[in-house]
């Protein structure tokens, strides 16, 4: 059983997300919403760590099936995608119980099944994804399996270890090494010390994948709107609330513009093709995670229109924006710009975000949000002043 993408006028037409892919993304809506709620009320460091681990795990499951649909196109197995969708839905539903330890085993088991199902998809096709080594290298899954026999901090540490292994593979493993051999269509994929049967190298459809990654960031931005609207509906409407609501809306518009209008793959200010897929994907994850954290902080800030924003909420807001700006700076540098130009683009707003986090102890929500709007406005204004003879992006 297969799902066909919307018909194209000719073979050269760009692919767009199919109805199956859009339906699959509904799990991302649910997952992002549940994960963002983990940060409500001003999270402690332990809460932030757990959020980072769980967000990366959920995003990894979503990403593997997104790449599967991207590569296979109209040959995608609908039942396999729907099964992965169900697994991600279980992960989303288990989020709140993980912190108390009640649904931690369910979250881990669902992740293991999602990863295994994605891996089997490529094994049956006798292919491996040249741009994504972890589709064939499942080392990061082992700590998750071991974690089923542990509880509490040890369990979460094993989850983090497994995800760290996957990140190292994505960043460091060359697709021309024995682990991948992307350049050779019939390269042997090695597991342990013996070569297995030869597999074909499959490659991603860059424009289609970029659209899918952008849609995920759009979902995260939608969570920011939902959080702000939900909290605003439960408090008294006055001039202070209008200031917070307007500032929050402008902040989300700026994030949308930098990530989707002036970025690539959902990564702010990244030129198309400036980094290989295996590097663009982790950057996308960090961007989405920081924006989701900022969405939670925006929702919390609505309750502090007349009093000082608590330190944890203030730092969640400023810290998540700082992470976003660091990634934007790296994207600018990788896109062929000079280091001084990249520093002038993202350095001042990053300094402002960190200064606000450190010093604005008595700031109310309206003041805090508008200072961050000012910080995020700078990259957009400075980018519009770029020299006409700016260098073209450097291909990897």
């Amino acid at each position: 059983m297969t799902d066909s993408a919307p018909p194209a006028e000719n073979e050269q037409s760009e692919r767009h997300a199919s109805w199956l892919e859009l339906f699959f993304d509904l799990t991302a809506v649910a997952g992002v919403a549940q994960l963002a709620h983990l940060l409500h009320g001003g999270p402690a460091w332990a809460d932030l760590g757990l959020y980072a681990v769980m967000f990366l795990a959920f995003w990894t499951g979503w990403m593997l099936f997104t790449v599967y649909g991207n590569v296979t196109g109209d040959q995608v197995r609908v039942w396999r995608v729907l099964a992965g969708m169900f697994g991600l839905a279980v992960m989303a539903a288990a989020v709140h119980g993980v912190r108390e330890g009640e649904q931690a085993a369910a979250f881990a088991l669902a992740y293991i099944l999602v990863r295994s199902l994605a891996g089997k998809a490529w094994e049956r096709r006798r292919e491996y994804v040249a741009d994504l080594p972890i589709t064939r290298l499942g080392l990061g899954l082992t700590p998750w399996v071991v974690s089923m026999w542990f509880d509490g901090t040890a369990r979460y540490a094993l989850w983090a270890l497994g995800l760290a292994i996957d990140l190292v593979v994505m960043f460091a493993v060359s697709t021309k090494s024995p682990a991948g051999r992307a350049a050779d269509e019939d390269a042997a994929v090695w597991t342990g010390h013996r070569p297995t049967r030869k597999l074909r190298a499959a490659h991603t459809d860059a424009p289609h994948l970029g659209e899918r990654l952008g849609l995920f960031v759009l979902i995260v931005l939608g969570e920011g709107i939902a959080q702000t609207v939900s909290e605003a509906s439960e408090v008294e409407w006055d001039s202070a609330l209008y200031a917070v609501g307007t500032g929050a809306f402008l902040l989300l518009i700026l994030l949308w513009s930098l990530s989707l209008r002036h970025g690539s793959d959902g990564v702010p200010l990244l030129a198309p093709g400036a980094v290989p897929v295996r590097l663009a994907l982790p950057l996308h994850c960090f961007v989405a995670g920081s924006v989701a954290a900022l969405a939670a902080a925006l929702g919390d800030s609505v309750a502090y229109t007349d009093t000082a924003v608590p330190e944890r909420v203030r730092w969640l807001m400023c810290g998540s924006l700082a992470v976003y700006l660091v990634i934007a700076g790296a994207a600018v540098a990788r896109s062929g710009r000079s280091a001084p130009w990249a520093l002038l683009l993202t350095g001042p707003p990053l300094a402002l975000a960190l200064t606000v986090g450190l010093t604005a102890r008595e700031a109310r929500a309206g003041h805090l949000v508008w200072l961050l709007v000012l910080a995020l406005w700078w990259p957009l204004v400075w980018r519009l002043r770029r020299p006409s003879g700016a260098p073209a992006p450097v291909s990897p």
Side-chain angles (χ1 to χ4, degrees), residues 233-253:
S233 67
E234 299 179 2
V235 299
E236 181 181 353
W237 285 34
D238 53 19
S239 59
L241 177 63
Y242 298 151
V244 174
T246 305
F249 188 64
L250 284 176
L251 192 62
L252 292 168
I253 289 175

Side-chain angles (χ1 to χ4, degrees), residues 131-328:
D131 300 320
L132 194 62
I134 66 170
T135 56
R136 286 296 299 165
L137 300 178
L139 297 177
L141 197 57
T142 302
W144 283 80
V145 175
V146 175
S147 76
M148 299 298 293
W149 285 270
F150 290 85
D151 293 311
T153 303
R155 169 180 277 163
Y156 306 143
L158 286 166
W159 293 0
L161 174 61
L163 294 167
I165 291 172
D166 283 339
L167 284 177
V168 169
V169 169
M170 291 182 72
F171 276 114
V173 173
S174 170
T175 51
K176 294 183 180 180
S177 70
R181 299 286 181 87
D184 301 323
E185 290 297 319
D186 295 320
V189 177
W190 291 76
T191 56
H193 300 287
R194 296 188 307 171
T196 61
R197 58 182 179 175
K198 290 185 177 181
L199 305 176
R200 298 184 302 273
H203 299 275
T204 55
D205 179 337
H208 176 261
L209 183 60
E211 178 188 8
R212 301 283 284 117
L213 295 174
L215 286 172
F216 190 94
V217 171
L218 201 61
I219 288 170
V220 178
L221 290 171
E223 181 59 23
I225 295 176
Q227 295 269 354
T228 306
V229 169
S230 175
E231 295 298 326
S233 67
E234 299 179 2
V235 299
E236 181 181 353
W237 285 34
D238 53 19
S239 59
L241 177 63
Y242 298 151
V244 174
T246 305
F249 188 64
L250 284 176
L251 192 62
L252 292 168
I253 289 175
L254 291 170
L255 290 168
W256 164 76
S257 183
L258 290 170
S259 295
L260 301 177
R261 295 186 67 209
H262 302 295
S264 176
D265 300 331
V267 180
L269 304 177
L270 179 68
V275 296
V277 170
R278 64 189 176 88
L279 299 184
L281 287 173
L283 292 178
H284 173 271
C285 178
F286 301 153
V287 167
S290 64
V291 174
L294 180 58
L298 286 176
D300 279 341
S301 69
V302 173
Y304 302 100
T305 56
D306 297 319
T307 58
V309 176
E311 182 179 11
R312 288 182 177 179
V313 176
R314 184 181 76 247
W315 263 115
L316 178 62
M317 189 179 298
C318 297
S320 57
L321 187 61
V323 171
Y324 180 90
L325 289 168
V326 167
I327 297 171

